[in-house]
Amino acid sequence: MLIDMALRIKSEHDAMSEINVTPLVDVMLVLLVIFIVTAPLMTRAVYVELPETKASAPVDPSRHLL
């Protein structure tokens, strides 16, 4: 009985050695859904009409000092 009590006390103070993977699985599933939704959007080209500039020619870059 004394040995049984000693084993029970020791087991109550042991560190929990299990890892809860539920949050990891939740995050991975959310990322998977995001990638599945956005992947088809990345294959299409988005055409952007850029405005024309009225600026002068660019300055010679060799004259720039850092």
Side-chain angles (χ1 to χ4, degrees):
M1 181 165 178
L2 185 60
I3 296 173
D4 192 31
M5 213 168 147
L7 291 175
R8 191 176 327 132
I9 291 172
K10 183 182 176 199
S11 65
E12 289 177 1
H13 297 294
D14 285 342
M16 192 171 99
S17 62
E18 297 177 8
I19 297 175
N20 188 4
V21 295
T22 305
L24 175 67
V25 171
D26 289 343
V27 170
M28 290 298 132
L29 287 175
V30 168
L31 288 174
L32 180 65
V33 169
I34 290 172
F35 287 135
I36 287 173
V37 169
T38 58
L41 299 175
M42 300 305 282
T43 60
R44 296 183 196 153
V46 178
Y47 296 103
V48 179
E49 190 174 324
L50 297 175
E52 295 292 324
T53 182
K54 295 180 182 178
S56 62
V59 180
D60 184 22
S62 64
R63 292 181 45 197
H64 291 275
L65 297 177
L66 296 178

